[in-house]
Amino acid sequence: MSHPIPHGLPMERDAGPFDPPAAITRLREARPVCPMLFPDGHEGWLVTGYDAVRKLMADTRFSSRQDIGVVHIPYETPGMPVATEPSPQVPGLFIAMDPPDHTRLRRKLTGAFTVRRVKQLEERIIDIVERQLEELARLTPPVDLVKEYALPVPSLVICELLGVPYADRETFQVNSAKFLVRDQSLEEKMAAYGAMTTYLAGLVTRKRAEPGEDILSDLARDDDLSIEELVGIAFLLLLAGHETTANMLALGTFALLEHPEQLAELRADPDLLPDAVEELMRYLSVADIFYRYATDDIELGGETIGKGSTVVVSLLAANHDPQRFDNPDTLDIHRKARGHTSFGHGVHQCLGQQLARIEMRAGFAGLLRRFPTLELTIPADEVKLRTDMNIYGVHELPVTWTETPR
């Protein structure tokens, strides 16, 4: 391995709230599969090119198992260890598994998230959106759009789908947010994880005894799954089911408010929304960094990645690769952005992607229709960005409107 880049590589979106880190952009142009020196002296790799990212994520020789690789932190974070020991496999947490274990668990969920099943839920999702818009309209602006709309909508949807009481949202919203904080000790992270799993263990145990009509009850009826596996699956679905979509709704609204001409076009022609949602996902890439571990010597992008190497994958960099997307740092709601990497690729491609698409289409459509004069109440550069979190977005989005919503 020659001339690895230094471990201090910045991961902050320093060019603006919606742009990739400038250093990542330069790196992708120079060497899309690049050796990387981590703070502990370990040499690994950073993959930023679109083609290389897609190939890597489709190649199961790049393992997702954290029990075989050490997570080396690719940027310096005060108070964080430079590397963590291999983590034992968590039952049910199939995002950190490889086939055949991953296949066995994921297969049990594919029926719940088929295009047809999610399409049947579309009317219910639209009802949830409309109800939340009514709640929003009753408030006196200014209001925080995250708290009053972007977070409640996907939380209500995933709670209903999984069979998690929405009244318990404080438990999972607070602890999932704590779990995703980047700059924290392992003890703090595990405390948040422990609080969520303790809650979920009680929930799935009750569902095994008295199942209802929901996904967790369907899984609880399956004797092939242990309580521990049910908890791991529930944790993953609950976390992924509200955090990513909530941040897309809030950050996407911020991006549209900062692009008023495109916002006006969307209001005038709602048929543009499906493509606009894909473009917002590509442009914003709220879930950016993923880890893989080479289980063999593997050729990728003209480089040889040695067996045992830690590989850091940037979906944000891939989604802004000019080799794949023209003028990638420009938001263009007319772009055909299908093929973006925001839902991942390969065996770990997002299980709930159709659900997320329907939520975002309904969420943006309703908001734009009901609040035609929506605007920020603070300067754009004062919006609090989630640069401290592992899923990007905004902490708050203070907005107001001048017309009484219809």
Side-chain angles (χ1 to χ4, degrees):
M1 189 182 295
S2 60
H3 308 298
I5 58 170
H7 58 70
L9 175 73
M11 294 302 201
E12 304 298 336
R13 304 193 190 207
D14 48 5
F18 314 118
D19 296 313
I24 288 275
T25 299
R26 288 194 299 271
L27 188 64
R28 186 191 56 229
E29 290 167 0
R31 199 171 180 183
V33 180
C34 185
M36 182 177 213
L37 185 65
F38 292 86
D40 64 340
H42 167 85
E43 289 187 356
W45 294 82
L46 176 68
V47 182
T48 53
Y50 177 87
D51 287 342
V53 165
R54 292 264 295 193
K55 283 177 185 165
L56 180 151
M57 299 192 90
D59 190 336
T60 53
R61 293 176 299 168
F62 288 104
S63 174
S64 298
R65 286 176 52 184
Q66 293 180 2
D67 62 323
I68 65 170
V70 176
V71 178
H72 300 265
I73 308 303
Y75 37 77
E76 295 204 63
T77 313
M80 280 290 282
V82 293
T84 60
E85 291 302 310
S87 308
Q89 279 208 297
V90 177
L93 211 66
F94 57 89
I95 197 173
M97 293 179 182
D98 297 333
D101 296 330
H102 170 268
T103 313
R104 169 183 158 260
L105 292 177
R106 182 162 171 134
R107 193 175 285 148
K108 293 182 183 297
L109 284 159
T110 47
F113 289 98
T114 58
V115 175
R116 184 180 167 198
R117 173 103 179 248
V118 172
K119 192 74 180 163
Q120 290 170 343
L121 287 167
E122 188 164 6
E123 283 187 22
R124 184 70 195 112
I125 291 167
I126 291 170
D127 286 345
I128 287 170
V129 166
E130 292 301 318
R131 197 168 69 220
Q132 202 59 39
L133 286 166
E134 289 293 335
E135 294 287 323
L136 187 60
R138 289 194 192 101
L139 301 174
T140 303
V143 301
D144 173 16
L145 198 73
V146 174
K147 180 184 175 189
E148 305 297 346
Y149 185 68
L151 186 55
V153 166
S155 295
L156 281 159
V157 171
I158 200 67
C159 280
E160 191 162 309
L161 203 57
L162 295 182
V164 175
Y166 185 63
D168 297 344
R169 63 190 176 278
E170 283 295 310
T171 300
F172 69 79
Q173 285 178 351
V174 168
N175 286 299
S176 67
K178 285 180 182 175
F179 181 77
L180 292 168
V181 171
R182 192 183 282 173
D183 180 14
Q184 66 176 328
S185 68
L186 190 60
E187 288 75 18
E188 289 172 308
K189 193 180 193 78
M190 293 314 293
Y193 175 74
M196 278 188 78
T197 53
T198 299
Y199 164 73
L200 290 169
L203 183 67
V204 297
T205 301
R206 290 195 299 276
K207 287 186 181 296
R208 179 149 275 179
E210 295 180 34
E213 296 300 317
D214 54 72
I215 288 177
L216 291 184
S217 291
D218 290 348
L219 293 168
R221 290 186 181 96
D222 188 338
D223 292 335
D224 183 41
L225 292 170
S226 67
I227 289 291
E228 290 75 21
E229 285 177 321
L230 287 168
V231 169
I233 292 170
F235 169 79
L236 190 56
L237 296 180
L238 189 57
L239 183 77
H242 81 278
E243 279 285 352
T244 46
T245 309
N247 283 294
M248 271 302 306
L249 284 171
L251 190 64
T253 301
F254 182 25
L256 290 172
L257 290 172
E258 288 299 288
H259 294 80
E261 291 175 6
Q262 298 193 57
L263 178 58
E265 278 193 81
L266 267 183
R267 280 210 176 96
D269 185 3
D271 288 344
L272 294 172
L273 252 176
D275 283 342
V277 164
E278 300 302 317
E279 170 65 351
L280 284 166
M281 283 190 289
R282 178 204 70 81
Y283 182 62
L284 300 173
S285 301
V286 297
D288 176 16
I289 297 296
F290 288 83
Y291 291 90
R292 293 290 186 268
Y293 309 98
T295 59
D296 206 342
D297 291 346
I298 307 168
E299 294 289 324
L300 184 71
E303 310 278 359
T304 300
I305 295 180
K307 182 177 180 178
S309 295
T310 301
V311 185
V312 181
V313 185
S314 174
L315 302 188
L316 172 66
N319 278 334
H320 283 252
D321 189 342
Q323 301 286 331
R324 174 63 178 80
F325 300 103
D326 293 335
N327 301 314
D329 297 342
T330 301
L331 177 68
D332 178 6
I333 59 169
H334 298 282
R335 189 194 304 272
K336 302 298 179 189
R338 292 280 178 151
H340 63 74
T341 62
S342 296
F343 286 127
H345 185 57
V347 297
H348 286 285
Q349 191 169 34
C350 176
L351 189 64
Q353 60 179 292
Q354 300 307 333
L355 178 68
R357 284 188 170 105
I358 288 173
E359 286 182 74
M360 283 186 277
R361 288 171 193 170
F364 286 123
L367 189 65
L368 300 190
R369 185 188 74 251
R370 290 290 302 273
F371 295 87
T373 58
L374 193 74
E375 61 181 7
L376 292 176
T377 61
I378 59 174
D381 61 3
E382 291 180 17
V383 172
K384 293 176 184 173
L385 303 169
R386 285 170 53 112
T387 52
D388 56 334
M389 308 294 275
N390 285 320
I391 295 178
Y392 188 60
V394 293
H395 283 292
E396 298 170 359
L397 194 68
V399 295
T400 188
W401 52 87
T402 53
E403 291 182 23
T404 304
R406 294 186 301 278

